[in-house]
Amino acid sequence: MKAAVYKGKEAIIIEEVAMPTLEDGEVLLEIEACNVCGTDLRTYRHGDKKIIPPRILGHEFCGRVVESRSKDTDIKVGDRVLMYIVLSCGECRYCKAGRENLCQSRTTMSYHLDGAFAPFMKVPAKAVRRRQLFKVSEELPAGHLSLAEPLGCVINAHGRGRLEVGLKDKVAIIGAGPIGVMHALVSRYQGAQQVDMFDVMQARLDKATTFDIDHTVKAEKEGSHLERAQELTDGLGYDVVIVAVSVAQAQADALEIAGKAGRVEFFGGLPKTNPFATLNTNHLHYKELRISGSYSEKMSDFQAATALVQKKDFPADKIVTHTLPLGSITEAFTLMESGEALKVSMNPNL
Ligand SMILES: [Zn+2]
Ligand SMILES: [Zn+2]
């Protein structure tokens, strides 16, 4: 089969690789779509210590079971499925506390095992046994369903009473990419009174206006967006600020535009080569702010996301802006960087 193989920084090569062969307990998926994640782009541009090439990337996928060597699952050949991609130990303190995303010895599809930028991918026996495959609708496009993976991460960030978005809340989201848009949607589902989007790129803000967003604000070096934030919140600042971009300045801005008793979420990390931000921590003190972080998702988040992407009003068609053949993966990266694309879906059958 022809797969997109990551060979190292700036090198993803389309080449012939062997068809995966199944061991006992494993399942083979024929991949219908695999969406490109910001982390795929980051790995391509900068490399990732956790990923040892050659490796097939791609972890936001939807596929059909074409072969099964598992007896202990209700998943059958012919089923169309999504997969929860975290392979946790089930034994450590965090797994036992139901926080398998924080597992001490977790491995992940496309990091430690081959992912889905390929026509076929095999599902490890452990994941099959633990019911990590979820049957999905035949009606919806595979690229739309594949949004469940990043959406689950967004739901994890909103979980455990951290952001507590409610009817009285004004929410600011910094970063108008697909993750920012999904944070806006989830905030809205939770009843947010006002949802505003900040970004440095006008092209991204223009896209964001097609969603249910109250105001878009272009972030400028001289800080005019900070004043605009005050105007949009009657001088009080936002109740919830979500940073959905890997930029230190955005984290600093978040503390500026948060209001008293505000909740701030740093979604995603900064570049590993320079993960430091200069923050005015007096904002934490005087405004009694709460800052949270989040990493990946729990299986319950993925389950919730799987249900949500299949709901009629979920605007998946506006989030997935491009569908390309697998061979055009580097083109997908360019589209993401220019702000022209929100989510790009790769189709190995085109
Ligand atoms: Zn992802
Ligand atoms: Zn564990």
Side-chain angles (χ1 to χ4, degrees), residues 220-242:
E220 303 282 0
K221 270 212 171 59
E222 75 280 9
S224 57
H225 57 290
L226 303 178
E227 286 156 39
R228 184 76 182 124
Q230 293 304 315
E231 283 168 24
L232 292 171
T233 56
D234 306 319
L236 296 175
Y238 288 95
D239 303 294
V240 175
V241 183
I242 298 165

Side-chain angles (χ1 to χ4, degrees), residues 37-39 59-60 149-150 343:
C37 178
T39 61
H59 57 263
E60 302 180 359
E149 201 281 332
K343 192 54 103 175

Side-chain angles (χ1 to χ4, degrees), residues 114-162:
D114 279 335
F117 287 142
F120 296 92
M121 188 203 85
K122 78 172 176 177
V123 180
K126 182 153 99 176
V128 179
R129 206 171 50 239
R130 288 198 183 151
R131 309 286 194 269
Q132 289 180 220
L133 294 175
F134 296 88
K135 271 187 77 166
V136 288
S137 159
E138 293 287 336
E139 315 297 323
L140 297 166
H144 294 186
L145 295 166
S146 302
L147 291 172
E149 201 281 332
L151 181 63
C153 297
V154 167
I155 291 173
N156 175 47
H158 283 258
R160 301 202 325 280
R162 284 178 291 190

Side-chain angles (χ1 to χ4, degrees), residues 180-190 211-212 314-315 319:
V181 164
M182 285 190 271
H183 271 295
L185 290 169
V186 170
S187 299
R188 200 59 103 179
Y189 289 136
Q190 290 177 309
F211 296 89
D212 183 13
F314 187 79
I319 301 174

Side-chain angles (χ1 to χ4, degrees), residues 185-251:
L185 290 169
V186 170
S187 299
R188 200 59 103 179
Y189 289 136
Q190 290 177 309
Q193 178 194 123
Q194 181 180 321
V195 179
D196 299 341
M197 195 78 112
F198 293 69
D199 202 287
V200 292
M201 277 164 97
Q202 191 59 47
R204 287 189 153 194
L205 291 171
D206 292 343
K207 282 226 159 50
T209 57
T210 67
F211 296 89
D212 183 13
I213 281 159
D214 295 291
H215 310 94
T216 58
V217 182
K218 188 157 184 299
E220 303 282 0
K221 270 212 171 59
E222 75 280 9
S224 57
H225 57 290
L226 303 178
E227 286 156 39
R228 184 76 182 124
Q230 293 304 315
E231 283 168 24
L232 292 171
T233 56
D234 306 319
L236 296 175
Y238 288 95
D239 303 294
V240 175
V241 183
I242 298 165
V243 182
V245 66
S246 298
V247 178
Q249 185 58 49
Q251 294 185 341

Side-chain angles (χ1 to χ4, degrees), residues 50-303:
K50 282 187 289 196
I51 303 177
I52 299 158
R55 172 69 65 224
I56 298 171
L57 305 179
H59 57 263
E60 302 180 359
F61 56 88
C62 174
R64 193 176 294 280
V65 178
V66 288
E67 196 186 333
S68 172
R69 289 195 54 187
S70 169
K71 286 183 193 73
D72 48 9
T73 172
D74 46 1
I75 293 293
K76 299 178 299 297
V77 169
D79 287 346
R80 195 179 195 217
V81 294
L82 296 176
M83 178 188 176
Y84 174 62
I85 57 163
V86 176
L87 304 161
S88 60
C89 76
E91 304 287 329
C92 74
R93 181 180 182 189
Y94 305 101
C95 281
K96 289 218 161 95
R99 298 180 67 172
E100 59 272 31
N101 58 319
L102 301 179
C103 173
Q104 284 289 75
S105 54
R106 71 172 263 183
T107 55
T108 313
M109 301 305 292
S110 90
Y111 285 81
H112 310 87
L113 294 157
D114 279 335
F117 287 142
F120 296 92
M121 188 203 85
K122 78 172 176 177
V123 180
K126 182 153 99 176
V128 179
R129 206 171 50 239
R130 288 198 183 151
R131 309 286 194 269
Q132 289 180 220
L133 294 175
F134 296 88
K135 271 187 77 166
V136 288
S137 159
E138 293 287 336
E139 315 297 323
L140 297 166
H144 294 186
L145 295 166
S146 302
L147 291 172
E149 201 281 332
L151 181 63
C153 297
V154 167
I155 291 173
N156 175 47
H158 283 258
R160 301 202 325 280
R162 284 178 291 190
L163 300 181
E164 295 182 307
V165 175
L167 291 175
K168 297 174 189 155
D169 288 327
K170 297 186 176 182
V171 179
I173 292 153
I174 307 178
I179 290 289
V181 164
M182 285 190 271
H183 271 295
L185 290 169
V186 170
S187 299
R188 200 59 103 179
Y189 289 136
Q190 290 177 309
Q193 178 194 123
Q194 181 180 321
V195 179
D196 299 341
M197 195 78 112
F198 293 69
D199 202 287
V200 292
M201 277 164 97
Q202 191 59 47
R204 287 189 153 194
L205 291 171
D206 292 343
K207 282 226 159 50
T209 57
T210 67
F211 296 89
D212 183 13
I213 281 159
D214 295 291
H215 310 94
T216 58
V217 182
K218 188 157 184 299
E220 303 282 0
K221 270 212 171 59
E222 75 280 9
S224 57
H225 57 290
L226 303 178
E227 286 156 39
R228 184 76 182 124
Q230 293 304 315
E231 283 168 24
L232 292 171
T233 56
D234 306 319
L236 296 175
Y238 288 95
D239 303 294
V240 175
V241 183
I242 298 165
V243 182
V245 66
S246 298
V247 178
Q249 185 58 49
Q251 294 185 341
D253 283 357
L255 302 194
E256 297 290 333
I257 68 174
K260 289 179 181 174
R263 287 86 69 197
V264 177
E265 160 74 11
F266 289 175
F267 185 91
L270 296 180
K272 290 190 181 76
T273 46
N274 184 15
F276 302 102
T278 303
L279 305 175
N280 179 350
T281 63
N282 273 347
H283 287 309
L284 282 174
H285 170 56
Y286 289 113
K287 295 195 280 193
E288 293 198 355
L289 301 182
R290 258 169 31 200
I291 305 187
S292 59
S294 61
Y295 170 60
S296 180
E297 65 197 287
K298 304 177 293 301
M299 189 138 91
S300 57
D301 302 314
F302 184 74
Q303 242 170 318

